[in-house]
Amino acid sequence: MLKHRDNKAFGYLYDNYSGALYSIIVQILNDVELANDVLQEVFINIWRKIDSYDQTKGRLFTWMLNIARNASIDTLRSKTYQNDRKNQPMPGSVDENISGQSAQLNVDNIGFRKVLGQLKEDQRVLIDLAYFKGYTHEEIAALQNIPLGTVKTRIRNALIQLRGYLK
């Protein structure tokens, strides 16, 4: 029904998956307002690219999650975002949130952190860097001071284990 551009199906998709996608986006961007904008872009991209989804290659949620993750990382790497980050207020300034509480959501809300806890520490660190902080494999290799091939192998093995845990 989605591939036929059915508005009801798309509404169902948004109602049932926007929360989980939003949690991932906020985790990567660490900015609630920007995450709302990126979520909107993600669903526009899903609407536009739904014809490219191939159910033989994976689940719809995984496909949407990759779109959300990529959009978040693209936002982090954009020049506009980098320039905006340079103009952030100093901690303790007048316009800081008075209550001191953050409106940021946590991935724990969808239970994914618990599943990540089942991985070995070295795999968990690499998954966190790659999927939640947006580092490339090359950047992770340099950061962790391990060979690129090792990074790729550990991430691949971790993803296989996660897939097994989530089934």
Side-chain angles (χ1 to χ4, degrees):
M1 299 205 81
L2 280 172
K3 290 194 177 194
H4 298 296
R5 309 264 190 232
D6 181 10
N7 286 333
K8 286 184 183 179
F10 190 74
Y12 175 84
L13 195 70
Y14 184 85
D15 291 344
N16 288 286
Y17 293 103
S18 61
L21 294 177
Y22 179 76
S23 294
I24 297 299
I25 294 167
V26 167
Q27 187 72 26
I28 293 170
L29 296 177
N30 207 16
D31 183 330
V32 174
E33 186 176 322
L34 186 58
N36 285 319
D37 295 340
V38 171
L39 180 66
Q40 187 173 6
E41 287 178 35
V42 165
F43 273 94
I44 290 169
N45 282 336
I46 290 169
W47 179 256
R48 287 181 183 155
K49 297 177 181 179
I50 194 66
D51 291 331
S52 68
Y53 168 65
D54 182 359
Q55 62 186 354
T56 63
K57 292 185 179 180
R59 302 168 105 188
L60 179 62
F61 178 71
T62 306
W63 180 77
M64 293 188 319
L65 183 65
N66 281 326
I67 291 174
R69 179 182 164 276
N70 292 340
S72 300
I73 292 169
D74 289 347
T75 300
L76 282 178
R77 292 181 179 163
S78 73
K79 287 186 187 256
T80 305
Y81 178 80
Q82 295 298 327
N83 289 335
D84 286 348
R85 299 310 291 168
K86 291 177 185 175
N87 296 322
Q88 292 297 310
M90 297 285 292
S93 65
V94 176
D95 61 346
E96 188 174 303
N97 188 352
I98 294 171
S99 69
Q101 295 178 344
S102 173
Q104 178 180 346
L105 294 176
N106 195 327
V107 174
D108 288 336
N109 294 342
I110 60 172
F112 196 64
R113 284 281 184 205
K114 195 179 295 183
V115 175
L116 281 177
Q118 297 176 3
L119 293 175
K120 294 178 189 171
E121 177 66 22
D122 59 340
Q123 291 175 324
R124 189 171 43 250
V125 168
L126 297 181
I127 292 294
D128 185 56
L129 288 171
Y131 288 93
F132 297 112
K133 296 203 168 61
Y135 288 96
T136 65
H137 290 172
E138 291 81 8
E139 292 169 335
I140 294 170
L143 221 122
Q144 295 292 311
N145 199 24
I146 54 179
L148 178 61
T150 303
V151 170
K152 290 180 178 184
T153 300
R154 286 181 185 168
I155 288 176
R156 182 179 182 279
N157 290 339
L159 292 174
I160 290 169
Q161 284 182 2
L162 286 172
R163 190 175 297 132
Y165 297 149
L166 294 173
K167 282 188 177 179

